[in-house]
């Protein structure tokens, strides 16, 4: 993607709809006057009085216990420098977004227009009653050192400057695993650092706590070697000043024979010769962004034995703060810690290091386009999309807080806590990311029947940019090319076919003969087949059927039956399948939810519902999700009579006997699989009581379609689908009015379906 295109897309992304990336939503009902009287006057007086009498009640009656302040003055924003508090706001909103999607932590971003340390500290201190914790962000050194130190002393809630400690914690975990792989002992390694800012000093401090000897550390900054003769050093920097070395000692001199290089400085300062001069099994953490001190490829080229990490996601071993801060704050908040101390940081370090040694879930492999990630030189840290981070790091931090005496609330049931954390993971929908990355590994030929539609053309542009498929457009060639030019779309080299063109007579005849052979005993004449092939849905389906294309995407400008009929007639059903069905995927706060059948079957029998569930479960597993199936009804386990309730109950019984390995239950009302407290209390025997359901089967088309449309509109849930299942080859029918994003996601699913 060009820099200009990136700029345009980024600006549009932040401006579209409601400007910015975050919003505030109520968590309690506010539907009537009684609700409002409880939410505000006069009812709100009761929790106020309770808190006044017992201050700790603030955690029971307000959002404080799940609320983090993301605070900056904009003096050291990413790689942009001192751009000011207002210009830093998009970054702070982004940090708040990461807190939410990775750990279900709410946060407010606060940008302070001051560089005065006293003013900054006082402002944060008087905000203490509002928040459960404070995340300091993008504050330049040396002020950041003093600000954090003073706030840690003056506040009774956790305070952490993530630029310092987030990098330190993540890189320390990487260091432990790198030492494990190299066989080196931490107290014997010789370490050279380039950079002496907040992050670098925090890393060195934590490495020393882990066992690195200070006398084995040599540090350089923009002014050269940090030595005891320097007069421009902050106290935290001076403790790493060396004596006895020449003041003109160069980085290249120090790296000769070094075991480890730590870079938090600028790109390109380390050469291949410097890396070649390091000790065997050298460890290089080149974390300058966007350009490392030495590129991964250059370093590996001269040192095959290297263990290397960078700050970039396109190389192995990304040192990414998102591996740490969401889960550290989650654990600290959950025990109402008064601070984030060294014990909690070390617990996070060891939890991260241990997780990298465990078997990697397939969904993580999919997300990063890998076949089998496993602990080794190219994998010393977990990936950010590994949902086990929350259930691994947060409990470790919470336990360390309790054991070190800074927790004000004890966790007594760790299994229950683990389950509660697992239920939060739905906020991070890594499914679509995994699908897109899997599609990139095996792109397919995708034919679009609505080639003359501007929304389709924009989706095709994104498909090409992401390299998930090779598009084929059906429609008038001149008209499509004109639309591409007028809208300045980057669509080059795409095959465009007009089924009505004389240039396609040979293919049209061949396709007509193909469908005539299939349906000649169902009344279709060759002449009729020739006429059908002039319609893009039939032509595109024939391309897929004979192997000229792999996937068909249609339906954006036509109703569902008009697109479905050609697919069934030309491609046909899979062997052993009696029904075609449609499934929608909703990316909800509970994680992905699969709804079937939402598009085809009007009133299936119990036996047909079993087949729908079997086909859906197979598709869900294809997407690397284990299905947990709920058969929905107006009745729960016989609580109400009626044909539909009996039908669902019978279907569950049949399915359980046929597939005892499946997690399935019903009939049940729709709220139960998501209200786990009620389900466990009332129906603890249900196999869904532990984790709820992610796959929903409905008694008829009316209920499923109504449920889907209500959910997607009222809850504003991102959706994928409908995914058409049961055909011999992937043909997917878009919903009228699908967006560019929905079309793109549908293409990704279709490509994976064909793989």
């Amino acid at each position: 993607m060009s820099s200009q295109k990136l700029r345009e897309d980024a600006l549009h992304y932040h401006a579209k709809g409601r400007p910015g990336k975050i919003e505030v939503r109520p968590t309690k009902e506010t539907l009537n006057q009684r609700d409002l009287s409880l939410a505000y006057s006069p009812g709100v007086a009761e929790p106020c009085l309770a808190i006044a009498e017992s201050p700790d009640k603030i955690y029971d009656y307000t959002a404080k216990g799940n609320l983090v302040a993301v605070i900056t003055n904009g003096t050291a924003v990413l790689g942009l420098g001192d751009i000011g508090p207002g210009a830093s706001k998009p970054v702070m909103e982004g940090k708040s977004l990461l807190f939410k999607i990775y750990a279900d932590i709410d946060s407010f971003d606060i940008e302070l227009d001051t560089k005065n340390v006293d003013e900054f500290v006082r402002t944060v201190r008087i905000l203490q009653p509002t928040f459960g914790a404070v995340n300091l962000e993008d504050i330049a050194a040396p002020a950041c050192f003093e600000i954090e130190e003073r706030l840690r002393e003056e506040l009774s809630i956790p305070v952490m400057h993530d630029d310092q400690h987030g990098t330190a914690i993540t890189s320390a975990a990487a260091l432990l695993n790198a030492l494990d792989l190299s066989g080196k002992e931490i107290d014997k390694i010789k370490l050279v650092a380039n950079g002496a800012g907040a992050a670098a000093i925090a890393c060195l401090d934590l490495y020393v706590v882990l066992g690195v000897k200070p006398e084995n550390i040599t540090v350089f900054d923009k002014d050269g070697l940090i030595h005891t003769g320097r007069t421009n050093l902050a106290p935290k920097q001076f403790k790493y000043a060396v004596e006895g070395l020449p003041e003109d000692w160069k980085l290249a001199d120090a790296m000769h024979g070094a075991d480890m290089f730590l870079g938090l400085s600028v790109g390109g300062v380390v050469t291949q010769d410097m890396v070649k001069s390091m000790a065997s099994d050298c460890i290089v953490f080149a974390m300058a962004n966007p350009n490392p001190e030495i590129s991964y490829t250059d370093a590996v080229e001269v040192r095959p034995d290297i263990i290397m990490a960078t700050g970039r996601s396109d190389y192995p071993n990304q040192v990414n703060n998102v591996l740490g801060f969401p889960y550290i704050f989650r654990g600290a908040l959950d025990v109402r810690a008064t601070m984030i101390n060294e014990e909690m940081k070390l617990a996070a370090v060891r939890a991260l290091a241990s997780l990298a040694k465990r078997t990697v879930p397939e969904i993580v492999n999919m997300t990063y386009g890998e076949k089998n990630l496993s602990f080794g030189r190219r994998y010393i840290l977990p990936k950010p999309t590994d949902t086990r981070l929350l259930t691994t790091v947060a409990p470790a931090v919470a336990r360390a807080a309790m054991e070190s005496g800074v927790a004000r609330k004890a966790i007594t049931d760790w299994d229950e806590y683990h389950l509660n954390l697992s239920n939060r993971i739905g906020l991070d929908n890594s499914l679509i990311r995994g699908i897109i990355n899997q599609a990139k590994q095996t792109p397919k030929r995708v034919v679009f029947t609505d080639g003359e539609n501007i929304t389709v053309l924009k989706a095709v542009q994104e498909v090409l940019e992401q390299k998930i498929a090779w598009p084929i457009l059906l429609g008038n060639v001149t008209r499509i090319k004109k639309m591409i030019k007028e809208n300045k779309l980057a669509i080059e080299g795409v095959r465009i076919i007009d089924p009505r063109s004389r240039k396609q007579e040979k293919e049209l005849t061949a396709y007509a003969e193909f469908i005539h052979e299939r349906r000649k005993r169902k009344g279709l004449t060759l002449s009729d087949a020739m006429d059908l092939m002039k319609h893009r849905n039939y032509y595109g389906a024939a391309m897929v059927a004979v192997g000229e294309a792999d996937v068909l995407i249609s339906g954006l400008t036509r109703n569902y039956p008009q697109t479905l009929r050609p697919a069934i007639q030309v491609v046909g059903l899979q062997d052993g399948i009696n029904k075609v069905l449609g499934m929608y995927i909703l990316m909800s706060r509970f994680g992905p939810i699969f709804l079937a059948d939402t598009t085809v079957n009007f009133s299936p029998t119990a036996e047909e519902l079993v087949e729908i569930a079997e086909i859906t479960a197979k598709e869900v597993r294809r997407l690397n999700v284990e299905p947990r199936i709920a058969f929905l009804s107006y009745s729960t386990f016989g609580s109400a009579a009626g044909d539909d309730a009996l039908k669902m109950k019978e279907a569950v019984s049949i399915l359980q006997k046929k597939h005892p390995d499946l997690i399935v239950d019903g009939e049940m009302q729709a709220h139960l699989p998501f209200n786990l407290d009620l389900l466990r209390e009332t129906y603890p025997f249900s196999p869904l009581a532990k984790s709820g359901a992610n796959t929903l089967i409905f008694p008829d088309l009316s209920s499923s379609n109504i449920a889907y449309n209500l959910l997607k509109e009222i809850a504003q849930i991102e959706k994928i689908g409908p995914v058409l299942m049961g055909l011999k080859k992937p043909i997917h029918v878009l919903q009228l009015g699908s967006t560019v994003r929905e079309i793109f996601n549908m293409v990704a699913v279709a490509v994976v379906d064909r793989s």
Side-chain angles (χ1 to χ4, degrees):
M1 183 185 296
S2 69
S3 58
Q4 178 61 27
K5 180 68 167 55
L6 175 62
R7 182 177 187 276
E8 292 174 358
D9 287 353
L11 292 176
H12 173 71
Y13 173 85
H14 283 80
K16 67 181 180 179
R18 184 192 296 261
K21 298 188 288 286
I22 57 176
E23 67 177 2
V24 176
R25 293 190 177 190
T27 60
K28 301 294 187 293
E29 57 274 15
T30 57
L31 299 178
N32 53 45
Q33 184 58 39
R34 181 178 183 278
D35 293 339
L36 295 177
S37 69
L38 293 174
Y40 199 55
S41 181
V44 74
E46 298 308 321
C48 292
L49 293 171
I51 294 168
E53 182 179 341
S54 178
D56 280 350
K57 292 290 185 181
I58 193 171
Y59 289 97
D60 297 325
Y61 299 126
T62 77
K64 179 183 174 80
N66 196 52
L67 191 60
V68 170
V70 177
I71 304 181
T72 189
N73 60 2
T75 52
V77 181
L78 296 177
L80 305 174
D82 185 357
I83 60 174
S88 75
K89 188 171 177 62
V91 178
M92 300 309 116
E93 286 188 356
K95 191 65 176 281
S96 297
L97 181 148
L98 295 177
F99 267 119
K100 188 65 177 177
I101 66 174
Y102 285 115
D104 192 21
I105 292 173
D106 299 316
S107 58
F108 290 139
D109 63 291
I110 299 174
E111 293 76 33
L112 301 182
D113 189 10
T114 182
K115 295 182 181 179
N116 183 285
V117 171
D118 291 334
E119 194 172 31
F120 192 111
V121 170
R122 180 182 182 278
T123 302
V124 178
R125 185 178 68 246
I126 63 178
L127 286 170
Q128 180 176 202
T130 304
F131 299 100
V134 173
N135 179 98
L136 300 173
E137 192 78 14
D138 291 353
I139 304 168
C144 63
F145 298 128
E146 183 180 352
I147 287 171
E148 187 195 35
E149 188 171 329
R150 287 177 57 181
L151 287 173
R152 281 168 55 90
E153 292 174 356
E154 297 180 27
L155 270 59
S156 60
I157 58 175
V159 178
M160 189 173 87
H161 185 205
D162 185 49
D163 300 308
Q164 296 180 58
H165 306 294
T167 303
I169 289 164
T170 307
S171 68
L175 174 58
L176 290 182
N177 282 342
L179 292 172
D180 191 3
L181 290 166
S182 67
K184 297 176 186 284
E185 296 179 26
I186 194 167
D187 60 344
K188 292 183 173 60
I189 63 170
K190 177 183 175 184
L191 189 156
V192 178
N194 198 62
I201 296 300
C203 287
L204 294 175
D205 287 348
L206 193 55
Y207 297 173
V208 169
V209 173
L210 287 169
V212 176
K213 298 294 185 184
E215 58 267 28
N216 291 340
I217 297 173
T218 308
V219 184
F220 295 80
D221 65 3
K222 59 183 176 59
D223 296 322
L225 176 69
I226 289 185
H227 57 84
T228 53
R230 292 267 298 268
T231 59
N232 61 342
L233 299 175
K236 283 185 175 287
Q237 296 169 319
F238 190 81
K239 64 183 175 182
Y240 293 107
V242 298
E243 55 183 342
L245 290 176
E247 293 182 6
D248 62 349
W249 191 254
K250 303 298 183 185
L251 182 62
D253 301 322
M255 287 186 67
H256 187 80
D259 296 289
M260 179 183 180
F261 170 77
L262 171 68
L264 284 156
S265 53
V266 294
V269 296
V270 173
T271 67
Q272 287 184 316
D273 286 340
M274 292 181 190
V275 175
K276 285 171 67 176
S277 74
M278 295 179 72
S280 61
D281 293 304
C282 57
I283 300 166
V284 173
F285 291 176
M287 297 186 287
N289 260 328
N291 299 313
E293 285 78 3
I294 182 172
S295 74
Y296 183 88
T297 51
D298 284 351
V300 171
E301 182 181 5
V302 295
R303 290 300 298 265
D305 63 335
I306 197 171
I307 303 171
M308 185 171 180
T310 71
R312 293 179 55 137
S313 61
D314 52 348
Y315 295 129
N317 303 324
Q318 183 191 20
V319 178
N320 190 332
N321 286 15
V322 81
L323 293 174
F325 73 83
Y327 317 111
I328 294 166
F329 276 93
R330 179 77 272 158
L333 288 169
D334 289 341
V335 293
R336 300 178 187 173
T338 58
M339 65 187 305
I340 294 173
N341 58 22
E342 291 301 314
E343 291 87 349
M344 295 162 72
K345 295 174 194 172
L346 291 173
V349 169
R350 295 188 174 104
L352 281 173
S354 68
L355 182 56
K357 297 177 180 178
R358 290 161 55 186
T359 302
V360 178
E362 185 57 28
I363 189 67
V364 177
N365 282 310
M366 284 173 55
T367 301
Y368 290 90
E370 299 282 351
K371 291 184 178 179
N372 187 25
L373 282 171
S374 59
F375 180 62
R377 292 173 188 264
R378 291 172 55 87
Y379 182 72
I380 58 175
L381 282 171
K383 295 293 188 181
T385 58
D386 193 330
T387 55
R388 299 173 302 170
L389 283 161
L390 182 58
T391 55
T392 301
V393 180
V397 171
R399 192 182 294 273
M402 291 168 55
E403 292 175 351
S404 61
V406 299
R408 288 177 290 194
K409 177 185 175 183
I411 295 174
T412 56
D413 189 336
W414 290 96
D415 290 337
E416 181 68 18
Y417 180 54
H418 188 281
L419 184 59
N420 289 337
L421 291 173
S422 297
N423 291 335
R424 294 181 184 272
I425 291 174
L427 292 163
D428 171 29
N429 274 299
S430 58
L431 176 68
I432 189 60
R433 290 196 294 273
I435 291 170
I436 291 169
N437 278 282
Q438 188 175 359
K440 287 180 179 179
Q441 307 309 307
T442 56
K444 304 298 180 185
R445 299 163 299 173
V446 178
V447 57
F448 295 83
T449 63
D450 299 301
E452 297 175 17
N453 183 278
I454 185 60
T455 305
V456 167
L457 293 177
K458 288 180 178 179
V460 166
Q461 177 176 259
E462 190 168 342
V463 165
L464 289 170
E465 287 177 354
Q466 296 288 329
K467 299 179 181 178
I468 65 169
W470 298 297
I472 303 168
L473 300 173
L474 299 187
N476 183 280
V477 177
T478 302
R479 190 174 299 131
I480 292 173
K481 288 183 175 179
K482 182 180 179 182
M483 293 176 70
I484 292 172
K485 183 177 180 180
E486 288 177 345
N487 290 276
K488 299 179 181 179
L489 300 176
I491 300 177
E492 299 176 1
V494 171
R495 187 179 174 194
I496 305 174
I497 298 173
D498 185 352
R500 296 177 179 271
S501 170
R502 289 187 177 182
K503 294 180 180 180
Q504 302 303 128
E505 284 186 4
K506 181 179 178 181
E507 288 84 357
L508 188 144
T509 301
Y511 296 160
E513 290 174 350
F514 172 83
I515 190 175
H516 174 251
E517 184 62 29
R518 280 183 57 89
R519 301 189 64 81
K520 63 186 179 183
R521 292 190 175 273
K522 295 189 177 182
L524 185 71
T525 67
L526 183 58
S527 175
D528 291 337
M530 292 288 288
D531 289 337
L532 287 177
M533 283 304 124
K534 293 176 184 178
H535 295 276
R536 284 173 281 174
N537 280 324
Y538 278 95
Y539 191 95
M543 289 183 70
V544 173
V546 302
E548 291 296 322
D550 301 302
V551 176
L552 174 73
I553 301 291
S554 186
L556 189 66
T557 59
R558 288 170 173 79
N559 64 43
Y560 206 86
Q562 283 181 312
T563 310
L564 183 59
R565 190 177 301 109
I568 295 174
Q569 291 177 352
V570 178
V571 172
L573 302 181
Q574 294 176 17
D575 294 339
I577 298 296
N578 299 307
K579 290 282 184 181
V580 174
L581 61 137
M583 175 183 74
Y584 272 103
I585 308 172
L586 299 181
M587 314 305 279
S588 80
R589 68 185 181 90
F590 298 97
I593 300 177
F594 306 89
L595 283 67
D597 167 41
T598 53
T599 56
V600 181
N601 298 286
F602 286 97
S603 185
T605 64
E607 291 75 14
E608 289 169 338
L609 285 168
V610 169
E611 184 177 51
I612 288 170
E614 290 173 324
I615 296 171
T616 304
K618 183 178 179 181
E619 184 68 20
V620 171
R621 281 175 169 160
R622 191 197 300 272
L623 298 175
N624 284 287
V625 177
E626 188 59 29
R628 304 188 305 274
I629 307 171
F631 278 68
L632 302 183
S633 175
Y634 52 80
S635 169
T636 299
F637 303 137
S639 64
D643 292 342
D644 277 350
L646 291 173
K647 177 177 70 173
M648 300 302 276
K649 182 178 182 179
E650 181 183 355
V652 169
S653 177
I654 296 171
L655 190 62
Q656 288 174 332
K657 290 175 182 176
K658 289 183 69 176
H659 303 280
D661 59 314
L662 273 179
I663 301 172
V664 58
D665 209 355
E667 84 289 8
M668 62 174 58
Q669 291 178 298
H671 65 288
L672 276 176
F674 307 103
N675 188 338
L676 293 186
D677 289 339
L678 179 60
L679 185 59
R680 291 173 197 150
E681 178 184 345
T682 312
Y683 308 106
F685 54 81
S686 173
L688 296 175
K690 182 177 181 181
S691 301
N694 59 17
T695 305
L696 307 180
I697 307 298
F698 296 85
D700 53 41
L701 184 61
S702 179
S703 59
S704 63
N705 199 266
I706 289 170
Y708 156 70
N709 280 292
L710 277 173
L711 283 171
K712 76 178 179 67
E713 293 299 329
I714 293 175
Q716 296 182 333
I717 294 177
E718 184 172 357
K719 60 186 182 297
I720 304 173
V723 180
L724 197 59
M725 300 178 291
L727 293 170
K728 285 184 177 178
K729 295 188 177 181
I731 291 182
H732 296 289
V733 184
L734 299 168
Q735 189 175 42
L736 287 169
S738 294
T739 65
V740 170
R741 184 185 185 93
E742 289 163 355
I743 297 171
F744 175 83
N745 288 345
M746 189 70 258
V747 172
V749 170
V751 169
V752 170
D753 201 26
R754 183 66 176 86
S755 299

